[in-house]
Amino acid sequence: MKNRKILLAEKEIPTHWYNIVHDMPNKPLPPLHPGTLQPIGPEALAPLFPMELIKQEVSTEKWVEIPDEIRDVYALWRPTPMFRAYNLEKILDSPAKIYYKYEGVSPSGSHKPNTAVAQAYYNKQEGVKRITTETGAGQWGSALSFACNLFGIECEVYMVKISYQQKPYRKIMMNTWGAKVYASPTNLTEAGKKILSKNPNSPGSLGIAISEAVERAATDDETKYALGSVLNHVLMHQTVIGQEAVVQMEKAGDLPDVVVAPFGGGSNFAGISFPFLRLNLEEGKKIRCIASEPASCPKLTKGVFRYDFGDTVGMTPLLPMYTLGHTFVPAPIHAGGLRYHGAGVIVSQLLKDKLIEARAHDQLECFEAGVLFAKAEGIIPAPETNHAIATALQEVERCKREGKSETILIHLCGHGNFDLAAYENYLSGNLQKHEITQAEIDAAIALIDTPEIAA
Amino acid sequence: MKNRKILLAEKEIPTHWYNIVHDMPNKPLPPLHPGTLQPIGPEALAPLFPMELIKQEVSTEKWVEIPDEIRDVYALWRPTPMFRAYNLEKILDSPAKIYYKYEGVSPSGSHKPNTAVAQAYYNKQEGVKRITTETGAGQWGSALSFACNLFGIECEVYMVKISYQQKPYRKIMMNTWGAKVYASPTNLTEAGKKILSKNPNSPGSLGIAISEAVERAATDDETKYALGSVLNHVLMHQTVIGQEAVVQMEKAGDLPDVVVAPFGGGSNFAGISFPFLRLNLEEGKKIRCIASEPASCPKLTKGVFRYDFGDTVGMTPLLPMYTLGHTFVPAPIHAGGLRYHGAGVIVSQLLKDKLIEARAHDQLECFEAGVLFAKAEGIIPAPETNHAIATALQEVERCKREGKSETILIHLCGHGNFDLAAYENYLSGNLQKHEITQAEIDAAIALIDTPEIAA
């Protein structure tokens, strides 16, 4: 009998988060104030985030200790399992060994609770009564609802109205954990009222929901705001994934040649890949880390590296990032978690410095890969996750062509239990390709009016 | 930091299924032919099941070896984790230690694949090309679809039409694993045509779906039929759960005083409890095993022990069981998996002999328990599973009253990711109590015209 799983004991839950900023040859450029174009300091973030998270956001320390209270909650599902994908290898007749690290065992079904629990904890420590956030399809909102409930913090989620109506299960999940979920735009904020006065039937957008959640936090001393990706501290919290994966690969007597992960804002990619990049930076290993993005939202493969806003309406500081422009509206693909115009600052700098790679896939190719995976390994992956599987299949083909027996590690960051309508769409032949032309990309980039970055 | 999980290595997946029939002081009575009222032999089952499963159905051997090919598939998710419910204990201020064994980590999200994989394997061994089955809410249909796909067998699922329309996610899951799913009644069988000719808009029922699946298997040499609970071999396959749990409790340095599990046809209850009952029967331990059933379908607590049909329309052999009568129609509670009129033969005999206990709960009480559990431990349980949690909460209260510090083991047999509409119903205050009066029970039992069992 083969040994399919590589499991770790609870005492092997990492004790520290890994801060890759310490090891980066070129540090990330500072965020700028959009008015003065001067670097902003930590104090600018104080209305929105607790001080400990702001410290982490700007930290250059290599290791940040994880409080025992957080590790204790992590133990509800961590360490997560790693699998050798024997069935998939057989179906593909693969010369490459394939492993996958599975974050879908968390209560909300993805990697998101790794940072949600940490953020809820630090807010609780600083006496915060309530956390607000936005959510689209609901992965992040449900993770934060779960985390806030455990620490006795109120959670208010502004959920894009069209998602609220079309994806009720995620909303109910948040309610079950005690969160309040509002269909955004609401009448509870000035931003929401403004939108509704112009268009009472607005279906909402992530940009509007962010505005509502941020306004709520900025105007109430007892309320803070939380973000589920993009920011440095969020990426750092996710490194528990990759640290476990490094140990698991060692236990399997292996080391990946290639690590693949889906890419939205950067947090799940960072989570699995940064601890392997550390081996490259420290020990001169040559592990390739590939970020897999949708062909319809190709900021890494076709975007530009320059200062841009993190949100659609332009309320955040200017961040140095690969972007398609903050007003870019991605096609309505099913991988809602990857429909974001820009990439987190750290990941952008790593790509600029050619320390990581990126690849884009159409959603049809991704669902084909996802169904193949489900039939082989049982788990039905989230649409976002399918992007990494699509990249892995290409790498297997390359290994065949080159006659190489490499080791590929897939980040299976979430299950697709709440995304089966998307699979139905694919299986019934109704799923559309969402191609974007170079002309459309050029037009989007031409609209960007924020500062360029000197070479 | 507490140690929340008790994990086993893959090599600790049980090597044998435990057949409790060997150890029962009173063996189960034989099934009878409904016409002759004489005991039927194994040959009567040959049109529907492969010979190896029929042998298991009538076996009195204590241990049946699990083929390596089956253990290898089990390794995709087994051994399943056991958790110490520290958070729940704290919320309840419980003097009792609470553990839960979690089967929701399987690809289809419940314990059902434990037998689905075994059944698919033996069918494949005997050259069966296609397996048919029925499903209501879809737990069993999705488990069999997953298993058939892995062994390269076609799978045809007759899904009750009203569920097919109301619960599309389970249907899509089956499709993703390659199964054909039909909304029953169909035009593909004589049974279905007959129903449709009388009522073209029939919403279907489990009884009709069974008739269609059985007819398909009985009239095609390349097709067999599979059942997800009730039968002896199905219960035996599930004993991998309890065997693992016995080892996990030992590793925790503990032994349960009480084991609680939801009860539909008996397979998940048998799975967790039979290996603990073995300790009672062999070593004189006094572990109480409690089956938790819905108050609206109380066959164990208020039914009669007599011969009855296993299906609604009366096509099966007569089985000696606790029953409310095969024409009894349970109220439309959300725990669809527990809406069955009778109890499996082995479990019925054990209850008759007072070797196990039973308890009934209303669904409001069950959802209250489920939400409490979800807030404490993170996992949102299936509505069926909530029945066991409700029993566990009563046992904690008893421990408080009696000043005892006992150990309670809950069988958390599945997650509720596909049942969130039921939670919405509960959280919004729209969920109904489904009480059944003694007069209604008496009336149902008075309708039974099948043979009584001599005392």
Side-chain angles (χ1 to χ4, degrees), chain A residues 70-148:
Chain A
I70 294 176
R71 294 179 73 230
D72 185 49
V73 176
Y74 280 169
L76 283 170
W77 73 96
R78 305 210 71 85
T80 60
M82 178 179 286
F83 293 79
R84 173 83 183 266
Y86 283 112
N87 292 5
L88 185 62
E89 289 177 21
K90 191 174 169 193
I91 285 176
L92 296 173
D93 190 21
S94 170
K97 287 186 267 189
I98 307 173
Y99 293 84
Y100 56 98
K101 173 78 169 165
Y102 185 42
E103 289 289 304
V105 296
S106 81
S108 69
S110 81
H111 64 291
K112 292 287 187 193
N114 294 328
T115 185
V117 168
Q119 293 191 49
Y121 169 79
Y122 289 115
N123 274 281
K124 182 70 179 180
Q125 288 296 102
E126 299 185 25
V128 173
K129 186 179 165 194
R130 185 183 300 111
I131 301 181
T132 65
T133 198
E134 72 288 335
T135 201
Q139 279 282 16
W140 168 241
S142 50
L144 191 67
S145 302
F146 157 74
C148 284

Side-chain angles (χ1 to χ4, degrees), chain B residues 47-80:
Chain B
L48 296 185
F49 301 105
M51 199 42 66
E52 193 58 36
L53 289 175
I54 294 172
K55 278 188 200 159
Q56 292 180 5
E57 183 65 19
V58 299
S59 169
T60 55
E61 291 292 311
K62 182 160 183 165
W63 298 103
V64 174
E65 190 169 4
I66 307 176
D68 269 355
E69 293 88 339
I70 294 176
R71 295 179 74 230
D72 184 49
V73 176
Y74 281 170
L76 283 170
W77 73 96
R78 304 209 70 84
T80 60

